[in-house]
Amino acid sequence: MKTAILTLSTLAFLGTTTFAETKPNIPAKEASQIFKAAGFSKTKHGWEGSCDTGEITTYKDFNGDGLKDAVISDYSTMCYGNTGVGYHIVAQQKTGNWKLIFENMGVPTFLKTKGKDGWPDIENGGPGFCFTIYRWNGQKYDVNRYEYNGKACTLND
């Protein structure tokens, strides 16, 4: 029964709008730079990270600075446990280079609330009923609060 609930929870999260977006059309050279910035290597099977083959699931300007940002998702229960999903957020810099700014296990949902420099808060979804919200502090994403359905919670809830 526990396995069925975890499987259904994971499938429900994979069906969220974060993963329901159409696959972005990214020039091959740019995609290559994005994957390399996140530490992925090109193989005959695609771009592989330390867990599995990744795919760019989101490609847009997250913080309104006029530069593109990307989310690379990869899937592995060996690396990511019951959640089965990991993500890597890569931001284009003013120089044109790409930089990894955050990576985590879970399903990222970008919220309307914002941290420094216009970066959206990230709800880190996965199995459970209380999720970590990360906020950009100008240098990195740090834990800001815990929420479930937009309401404060504690990890013990």
Side-chain angles (χ1 to χ4, degrees):
M1 183 67 173
K2 272 187 176 178
T3 303
I5 291 170
L6 289 174
T7 301
L8 290 173
S9 296
T10 301
L11 291 174
F13 284 112
L14 292 177
T16 63
T17 56
T18 302
F19 287 90
E21 294 180 14
T22 56
K23 193 169 187 174
N25 187 15
I26 306 165
K29 182 179 178 185
E30 189 125 350
S32 175
Q33 293 171 341
I34 292 167
F35 279 112
K36 286 178 181 176
F40 284 69
S41 300
K42 182 77 170 158
T43 71
K44 65 181 181 179
H45 302 291
W47 286 93
E48 291 187 9
S50 57
C51 289
D52 204 349
T53 303
E55 65 177 319
I56 299 172
T57 52
T58 308
Y59 176 71
K60 65 183 183 181
D61 181 1
F62 287 124
N63 64 337
D65 65 357
L67 301 169
K68 293 288 189 180
D69 306 297
V71 176
I72 300 171
S73 299
D74 62 337
Y75 313 90
S76 168
T77 54
M78 293 296 288
C79 283
Y80 304 121
N82 290 337
T83 305
V85 181
Y87 62 95
H88 316 264
I89 300 174
V90 183
Q92 189 175 38
Q93 306 299 293
K94 289 179 183 174
T95 61
N97 294 327
W98 288 83
K99 179 181 177 182
L100 177 67
I101 63 165
F102 189 61
E103 58 187 344
N104 207 348
M105 71 173 65
V107 179
T109 299
F110 296 90
L111 304 176
K112 291 181 181 178
T113 53
K114 298 188 183 301
K116 190 168 169 82
D117 304 324
W119 281 97
D121 290 351
I122 301 170
E123 178 183 272
N124 195 67
F129 298 100
C130 187
F131 304 115
T132 306
I133 308 298
Y134 291 92
R135 176 168 283 174
W136 183 254
N137 67 14
Q139 301 293 316
K140 63 181 181 168
Y141 270 99
D142 272 333
V143 174
N144 179 260
R145 63 190 182 276
Y146 300 93
E147 290 184 358
Y148 182 68
N149 287 335
K151 294 185 169 94
C153 60
T154 61
L155 290 180
N156 297 328
D157 286 354

